[in-house]
């Protein structure tokens, strides 16, 4: 029995060694004979059930490529690190919210970057400025505008090329969503504008601020503006109540009704003691359609100003056109405050504007016809314009001024007033057209302007009227053409003449709807100017 056990153990050991050898051969890719593998498998299965795990190598040859596949699959954990960087793609996606508002509305706590235009005052784009629009948790939208020196330089170049002397930053809010507008202008940008001879206008849908070139001189610190329209009804009521009890208001209306007729506006800035013009739109104010009723309504409007230093002021503004289809009120100040447009019953009476140019007997105005020297002399006489001492030849020495022509008396007046002169041959030539250069010279004498820069335009540097043209340009009374020329020898039309004269006289008091002339429809570019000049009317004047 003992001998039998020894034999059994010996056989078992032999079979185990044989199985191990088979496994080694299999691991090296050497497939054992299939018959031997079956014998080994059967013997192990009968003798030692506990050695079952050792049988695995016998199945391995059935998948000879498995060992090769195993190393290929073994990097799967390594592919997990490859997948692990996926979270790093999340930071890459994080900036998306900052760019998303560029194409859509601003979410609470978010912002978007916009670009607004800078034009030269007539809608021609000359530069641009960046606006950061943000919305706080309460839904209030704030626009932050920065106008830097580079943008200022581009504005100067663009304005000069167009023959203009203004840079207007246009910040739109057509949907009335903005609660606050902030504008930052570095001192370097202000210096560029000043040296370039430009004035600066900040134009929004709630207010316009015009800073003359002279007011930009010598500013050594960055300039800021903060514009806040008072939209809340309760705050508006508070302003109205303060206005009622203010002495300057009570003295003006003697106990009559006081009414806020447009949205109050707060404007803050570090610009002080410098002349600035403010224009407020009459948003939401329905003006009477009838001319007389409109004039009476406008005569009752005033601007109540609550200065930040505690002063209170009531001023009568000029009635102007804020933009197409919207009227406004314009006035000058030298410090900033809260501005409220009031309608004051019993305030002041209307003033009168007389016509200073006439039409023709056939009911036409002929706006595109060249204005003659005799017609211009008649206009100067009607306006009682005066200039410097007359230069030779005197009116009496003008050979063709005999007193027989309808305009001879006006020519004599204008010559005696030092406004208009004759030609070297001793004639005046009343029926000759007035050139743009001649008009500039006459207007310069009328306003007694100092000589200006004649080289502003490409074609005026050596012209006899170059300095007069430069003087009028500096005052924004004339403009050039987009190609940088003034065309001084080109005749001036009647429509162009009244447009410039109205600007000189600051006559922009009406919003006309009906034409007095058969050839000047309401769609004509100079319709308002022609009506203002040729139709006598009352207007809301200053006290």
């Amino acid at each position: 029995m003992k001998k039998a056990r020894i034999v059994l153990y010996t056989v078992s050991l032999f079979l185990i060694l044989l199985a191990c050898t088979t496994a080694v051969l299999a691991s090296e890719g050497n497939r054992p004979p299939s018959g031997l593998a079956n014998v080994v498998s059967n013997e192990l299965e009968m003798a030692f059930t506990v050695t079952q795990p050792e049988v695995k190598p016998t199945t391995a040859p059935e998948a000879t490529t498995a060992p090769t596949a195993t190393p290929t699959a073994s990097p799967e954990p390594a592919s997990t690190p490859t997948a692990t960087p996926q979270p790093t793609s999340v930071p890459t996606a994080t900036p998306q919210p900052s760019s998303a508002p560029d194409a859509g509305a601003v979410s609470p706590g978010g912002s978007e970057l916009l670009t607004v235009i800078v034009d030269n005052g007539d809608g021609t784009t000359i530069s641009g400025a960046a606006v950061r629009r943000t919305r706080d948790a309460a839904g209030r939208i704030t626009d932050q505008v920065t106008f830097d020196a580079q943008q200022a330089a581009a504005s100067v170049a663009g304005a000069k090329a167009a023959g203009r002397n203004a840079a207007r930053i246009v910040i739109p809010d057509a949907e009335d969503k903005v609660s606050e507008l902030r504008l930052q202008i570095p001192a370097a940008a202000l210096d560029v504008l000043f040296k370039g001879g430009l004035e600066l206008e900040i134009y929004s849908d709630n207010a316009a601020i015009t800073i003359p070139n002279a007011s930009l001189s010598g500013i050594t610190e960055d300039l800021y503006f903060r514009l806040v329209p008072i939209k809340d009804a309760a705050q508006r009521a508070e302003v109205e109540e303060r206005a009622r009890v203010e002495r300057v208001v009570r003295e003006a209306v003697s106990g009559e009704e006081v009414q806020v007729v447009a949205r109050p506006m707060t404007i803050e800035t570090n610009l002080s003691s410098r002349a600035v013009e403010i224009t407020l739109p009459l948003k939401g104010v329905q003006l009477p359609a009838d001319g007389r009723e409109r004039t009476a309504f406008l005569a009752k409007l005033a601007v109540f100003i609550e200065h930040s230093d505690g002063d209170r002021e009531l001023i009568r503004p000029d009635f102007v056109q804020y933009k197409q289809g919207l009227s406004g009120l314009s006035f000058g100040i030298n410090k900033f405050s809260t501005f409220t447009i009031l309608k004051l019953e019993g305030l002041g009476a209307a003033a009168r504007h007389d016509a200073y140019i006439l039409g023709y007997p056939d009911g036409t105005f002929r706006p595109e016809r060249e204005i003659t020297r005799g017609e211009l002399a008649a206009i100067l006489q009607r306006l009682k314009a005066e200039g410097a001492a007359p230069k030779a030849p005197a009116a009496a020495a003008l050979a063709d001024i005999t007193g027989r022509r309808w305009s001879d008396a006006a020519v004599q007046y204008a010559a005696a007033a030092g406004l208009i002169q004759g030609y070297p041959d001793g004639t005046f030539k009343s029926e000759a057209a007035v050139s743009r250069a001649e008009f500039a010279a006459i207007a310069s004498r009328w306003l007694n302007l100092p000589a200006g820069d004649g080289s502003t335009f490409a074609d005026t540097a050596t012209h006899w009227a170059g300095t007069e043209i430069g003087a009028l340009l500096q005052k924004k009374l004339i403009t050039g053409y987009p190609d940088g020329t003034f065309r001084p020898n080109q005749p001036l039309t009647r429509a162009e003449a009244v447009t410039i004269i109205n600007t000189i006289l600051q006559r922009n008091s009406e919003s006309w709807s009906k034409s007095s002339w058969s050839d000047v429809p309401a769609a004509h570019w100079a319709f308002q100017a022609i009506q203002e000049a040729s139709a006598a009317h009352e207007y809301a004047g200053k006290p």
Side-chain angles (χ1 to χ4, degrees), residues 146-392:
T146 300
F147 184 66
D148 60 27
Q150 183 176 0
Q151 293 161 341
S155 299
V156 171
K160 293 298 183 183
R164 305 283 290 186
N165 63 346
R168 180 173 66 170
I169 305 174
V170 182
I171 309 160
D173 183 23
E175 298 180 2
D176 198 26
K177 292 182 177 179
V178 178
S179 299
E180 181 177 340
L181 170 61
R182 298 176 182 176
L183 177 66
Q184 190 81 14
I185 309 175
L190 298 171
D191 186 59
V192 170
L193 293 175
F194 172 70
K195 291 178 178 178
L198 266 60
E199 70 172 21
L200 176 63
E201 181 179 352
I202 304 160
Y203 180 92
S204 75
D205 284 290
N206 291 302
I209 304 170
T210 302
I211 309 173
N213 181 260
S215 294
L216 297 175
S217 173
I219 299 178
T220 58
E221 62 178 351
D222 294 353
L223 184 63
Y224 78 86
F225 284 93
R226 178 174 175 266
L227 287 72
V228 182
I230 300 177
K231 301 180 179 182
D232 183 73
Q235 292 180 327
R236 174 171 165 166
E238 291 176 4
V239 173
E240 189 169 337
E241 183 58 33
R242 291 198 301 269
R244 286 195 182 97
V245 299
E246 280 297 332
R247 180 180 58 82
V248 292
V249 177
R250 287 188 286 107
E251 289 178 352
V253 298
S254 302
E256 296 288 344
E257 181 183 357
V258 176
Q259 178 186 1
V260 175
V261 297
R263 176 186 293 169
M265 188 76 185
T266 296
I267 303 177
E268 298 175 357
T269 182
N270 58 342
L271 180 69
S272 61
S273 302
R274 294 174 184 259
V276 174
E277 183 178 358
I278 302 292
T279 306
L280 301 177
L282 290 170
K283 295 178 69 172
V285 179
Q286 186 64 44
L287 297 178
D290 178 79
R292 290 183 177 275
E293 292 180 4
R294 182 171 61 251
T295 298
F297 178 89
L298 293 172
K300 298 177 182 179
L301 298 185
V303 179
F304 173 54
I305 306 176
E306 299 174 282
H307 292 294
S308 55
D309 60 6
D311 288 346
R312 300 292 184 266
E313 187 177 3
L314 186 70
I315 63 174
R316 296 287 293 275
D318 290 323
F319 180 64
V320 299
Q321 184 179 45
Y322 194 78
K323 64 179 182 180
Q324 187 66 35
L326 180 63
S327 300
L329 301 179
S330 182
F331 51 93
I333 60 167
N334 57 13
K335 55 183 177 179
F336 289 80
S337 332
T338 296
F339 306 93
T340 306
I341 300 174
L342 301 176
K343 180 186 176 186
L344 307 175
E345 295 296 336
L347 180 66
R352 179 178 177 82
H353 275 160
D354 291 321
Y356 64 78
I357 191 171
L358 306 178
Y360 293 90
D362 62 357
T364 63
F365 183 81
R366 305 177 194 176
E368 309 309 324
R369 184 188 178 201
E370 300 164 354
I371 192 167
T372 67
R373 289 166 58 81
E375 288 174 332
L376 182 56
I379 289 174
L380 295 172
Q381 183 186 39
R382 294 186 190 110
L383 293 174
K384 297 180 174 59
E386 295 182 358
K391 298 180 181 179

Side-chain angles (χ1 to χ4, degrees), residues 89-103 111:
S89 67
V90 175
T92 305
T94 303
Q96 289 180 1
S98 65
S99 60
D102 290 339
S111 68

Side-chain angles (χ1 to χ4, degrees), residues 5 34 68 84 90 114 130 144 240 263 272 278 286 296 317 398 402 405 411 415 417 423 440 477 523 529 531 534:
R5 289 180 179 174
S34 58
T68 307
T84 303
V90 175
L114 308 173
Q144 176 72 53
E240 189 169 337
R263 176 186 293 169
S272 61
I278 302 292
Q286 186 64 44
L398 296 173
T402 62
R405 189 179 288 105
V411 171
Y423 291 95
L477 299 176
Q531 280 297 119
S534 61

